[in-house]
Amino acid sequence: MEPTKPEIGDIRLEWDWVKKGVKEILAEQPQLTFRAEDVYAECLHGNAVLWTTKEGFIVSQTSTDPFTNENTFLVWLAWAKNKGNQNVVKYTPFFNEVAKNAGYKFLKVKSPIEAISKYLLNEGWNIDTITYRKEVK
């Protein structure tokens, strides 16, 4: 079954349910330094785009390489009501087309969740960077 196409959402109209998903992401990933309200502000000011689907939401941003000026479509946040349904894989063709039409050079997803690696690598994604960090004590 073909997934429904994500639609650009209005953060003002969608915030009540999106905020719950953002707070869930922040609770699961305490290394993230932004607040839920920062996501709202980034979308409101046009620095990020909210995409909604029946399964959840994606917030994307543009990341520009400072040396080549090539733009990357960055999936900043992704949240689903039901986990484990490979939504990133399911929506990759859609976002690939969006990125291609907008002149982006790459798609990028960052996540500390190792389980998505096996799905992405099987779908033509490559590991670019894995970030690990340790607090200095």
Side-chain angles (χ1 to χ4, degrees):
M1 182 171 150
E2 188 73 19
T4 59
K5 290 184 179 177
E7 295 180 357
I8 294 177
D10 182 335
I11 195 68
R12 288 182 174 127
L13 299 176
E14 308 291 347
W15 184 239
D16 288 340
W17 72 273
V18 168
K19 181 179 182 180
K20 291 175 187 172
V22 172
K23 286 190 169 199
E24 184 179 308
I25 291 168
L26 291 170
E28 291 171 353
Q29 299 178 43
Q31 77 279 10
L32 297 174
T33 57
F34 56 87
R35 300 168 51 126
E37 293 77 10
D38 296 326
V39 176
Y40 181 91
E42 289 294 291
C43 290
L44 187 66
H45 296 296
N47 299 322
V49 176
L50 172 66
W51 301 86
T52 61
T53 70
K54 63 181 180 177
E55 293 94 355
F57 68 83
I58 290 170
V59 179
S60 67
Q61 291 183 314
T62 297
S63 172
T64 304
D65 186 301
F67 306 109
T68 66
N69 286 326
E70 293 174 328
N71 287 334
T72 295
F73 182 99
L74 172 66
V75 176
W76 177 25
L77 297 171
W79 178 84
K81 297 170 194 165
N82 299 309
K83 309 294 184 256
N85 292 324
Q86 302 180 35
N87 288 320
V88 172
V89 171
K90 184 178 358 180
Y91 291 109
T92 294
F94 173 83
F95 287 114
N96 186 74
E97 195 64 24
V98 168
K100 180 176 148 188
N101 291 338
Y104 288 87
K105 182 77 175 182
F106 304 102
L107 292 174
K108 186 180 274 188
V109 173
K110 293 182 179 182
S111 177
I113 301 167
E114 290 182 45
I116 70 167
S117 175
K118 66 180 176 184
Y119 302 123
L120 295 178
L121 292 175
N122 287 334
E123 293 295 323
W125 290 78
N126 296 304
I127 295 175
D128 180 72
T129 303
I130 298 174
T131 304
Y132 297 91
R133 75 176 200 171
K134 182 179 194 261
E135 184 177 345
V136 175
K137 296 188 181 203

